Amino acid sequence: MSVNNEALNRCAILIMSLGEDAAAEVFKYLSAREVQQIGMAMASLKQITRGDVDQVLEEFRQEADQFMAITLGSDDYIRSVLTKALGTDRAAGLIEDILEGSDNASGIDALNWLDAQNVAELIMDEHPQIIATILVHLERDRASDVLVLLPERLRNDVMLRIATFGGVQPQALQELTEVLNNVLSGQGAKRSKMGGVRAAAEILNYMSSVEEESVVATLRELDGDLAQRIVDEMFVFDNLIDVEDTAIQLILKEIDTSQLTIALKGAPEELREKFFSNMSNRAAEMLRDDLEAQGPIRMSRVEEEQKNILGTARRLAEAGQLTLTRSGNDEYV
């Protein structure tokens, strides 16, 4: 679930109005990421008036009435809407996920609920190919967090296998799931989300620059062409120069000025101007002054804030609110 703050707040208010038992029942049907997002929204709500609750409940009632009016044979409707919104290629995988249903979460899926340290400890002694198979099924940021915790040599080996991953036979995936189920009590096996160059690039995007460079350097020694293809797929902070102005404006609404001031430290002047030109004159002037007055900052801190801003950009892109592009205007989603 990648939605805006207003929608998350509405979800939070609705669930809080259900009472503890009913709310707990609802959470059973949500993914780990959805529970986390809604839980954070619930925690951030300070004051809720009776009017707020009534409004959310009324909106829910109206939407529920509309939903009930849709016939049960709505697969064609879902395909049509998603294809129009996302295009044929991007919609295909999502449609398959939706129409398959999500009732049978596998043991691999259940790893998204665990802390990265626990996942790393659980899989560290497995064969690198098994580790790669598991990681391509995790959320990209979670997979990155787990990779960072692996020994460097193992990490690089696993990343190479992720980049060349071509899928897994259903029977093999079922066997792997059953092993994990013994530990996690997961159920069933879900269709494999393929690995490959894009998956490797997405995972690397969440790593720190030091770890990222180490992995890429090792991959270049093993397969220079493959390493370059991965790098070409990556979207880094400097690539924000290539995105639309409207996308920059959306990103600016979601981040703090102090965060941006640190991230722009040492950034190319062209990228700085990209942000300045999408701010009010007063805001841009204040940011320029802050940058000039800013003292030395550790590179690790700058990279951390750049990664945070990129994370915001990816979240907005996943929600369909903006499009990220690399040089050559290839879409990154």
Side-chain angles (χ1 to χ4, degrees):
M1 177 189 293
S2 295
V3 295
N4 58 38
N5 290 336
E6 181 181 355
L8 281 173
N9 287 339
R10 290 170 59 203
C11 290
I13 292 173
L14 176 62
I15 290 178
M16 291 174 71
S17 69
L18 298 177
E20 292 182 5
D21 292 340
E25 188 65 24
V26 170
F27 276 135
K28 292 179 182 179
Y29 295 91
L30 301 180
S31 69
R33 179 58 57 85
E34 290 168 339
V35 171
Q36 180 184 38
Q37 288 181 311
I38 295 175
M40 291 175 64
M42 292 169 66
S44 68
L45 292 175
K46 300 304 181 184
Q47 291 184 337
I48 307 173
T49 67
R50 181 64 194 177
D52 292 333
V53 176
D54 289 343
Q55 180 180 350
V56 169
L57 291 176
E58 176 59 22
E59 290 173 353
F60 176 75
R61 185 192 65 78
Q62 293 175 3
E63 292 177 7
D65 287 344
Q66 293 175 0
F67 173 78
M68 293 302 293
I70 298 176
T71 62
L72 293 178
S74 59
D75 287 5
D76 290 340
Y77 176 82
I78 294 172
R79 293 181 189 277
S80 177
V81 170
L82 291 180
T83 300
K84 287 180 180 178
L86 304 175
T88 303
D89 292 340
R90 291 177 60 194
L94 181 58
I95 290 171
E96 190 173 347
D97 281 341
I98 291 172
L99 298 184
E100 277 183 355
S102 57
D103 292 337
N104 296 320
S106 72
I108 294 177
D109 292 327
L111 294 178
N112 280 310
W113 287 87
L114 297 182
D115 178 82
Q117 182 67 51
N118 292 334
V119 177
E121 291 174 358
L122 181 67
I123 67 176
M124 189 177 297
D125 294 330
E126 299 296 335
H127 189 279
Q129 188 61 45
I130 292 179
I131 297 176
T133 301
I134 291 172
L135 293 186
V136 298
H137 287 77
L138 301 185
E139 300 287 348
R140 297 307 188 220
D141 55 343
R142 178 52 53 84
S144 177
D145 291 342
V146 173
L147 266 175
V148 168
L149 297 171
L150 300 180
E152 183 176 3
R153 184 174 180 178
L154 176 60
R155 180 195 312 152
N156 295 334
D157 187 2
V158 170
M159 181 56 71
L160 177 63
R161 293 170 187 272
I162 288 174
T164 56
F165 189 85
V168 57
Q169 293 296 324
Q171 182 58 39
L173 182 61
Q174 178 64 41
E175 292 175 1
L176 177 57
T177 298
E178 289 175 356
V179 171
L180 289 172
N181 283 345
N182 290 333
V183 179
L184 302 170
S185 300
Q187 296 179 350
K190 189 177 180 180
R191 176 182 57 84
S192 168
K193 286 192 168 117
M194 305 294 282
V197 170
R198 173 60 64 86
E202 290 172 348
I203 293 171
L204 278 174
N205 272 327
Y206 285 97
M207 289 186 178
S208 71
S209 294
V210 173
E211 293 152 350
E212 173 189 300
E213 290 170 3
S214 172
V215 172
V216 171
T218 300
L219 291 177
R220 286 194 189 280
E221 293 177 3
L222 298 170
D223 190 329
D225 178 65
L226 177 65
Q228 188 58 49
R229 285 163 54 207
I230 294 173
V231 171
D232 289 343
E233 288 286 346
M234 295 179 66
F235 191 94
V236 297
F237 190 71
D238 287 0
N239 291 137
L240 290 174
I241 293 173
D242 299 323
V243 306
E244 297 289 338
D245 286 345
T246 52
I248 294 295
Q249 292 161 17
L250 284 171
I251 293 170
L252 284 170
K253 292 179 181 179
E254 298 289 327
I255 62 177
D256 296 330
T257 302
S258 59
Q259 183 182 10
L260 181 61
T261 303
I262 295 172
L264 290 179
K265 179 77 170 180
E269 187 61 30
E270 184 182 359
L271 179 55
R272 290 189 178 193
E273 290 298 328
K274 180 81 170 182
F275 280 95
F276 293 151
S277 64
N278 284 285
M279 304 170 73
S280 68
N281 291 336
R282 177 175 173 77
E285 190 60 35
M286 291 178 64
L287 180 56
R288 284 191 178 96
D289 291 343
D290 289 343
L291 284 168
E292 291 178 3
Q294 193 171 229
I297 300 177
R298 293 192 308 275
M299 182 55 69
S300 60
R301 178 76 189 285
V302 174
E303 292 172 348
E304 178 185 0
E305 293 299 351
Q306 289 180 349
K307 293 280 187 181
N308 289 336
I309 291 175
L310 281 177
T312 297
R314 292 190 196 96
R315 174 173 57 79
L316 293 171
E318 290 168 0
Q321 295 180 254
L322 58 82
T323 299
L324 298 180
T325 59
R326 302 182 309 277
S327 299
N329 295 325
D330 292 329
E331 186 176 355
Y332 181 98
V333 293

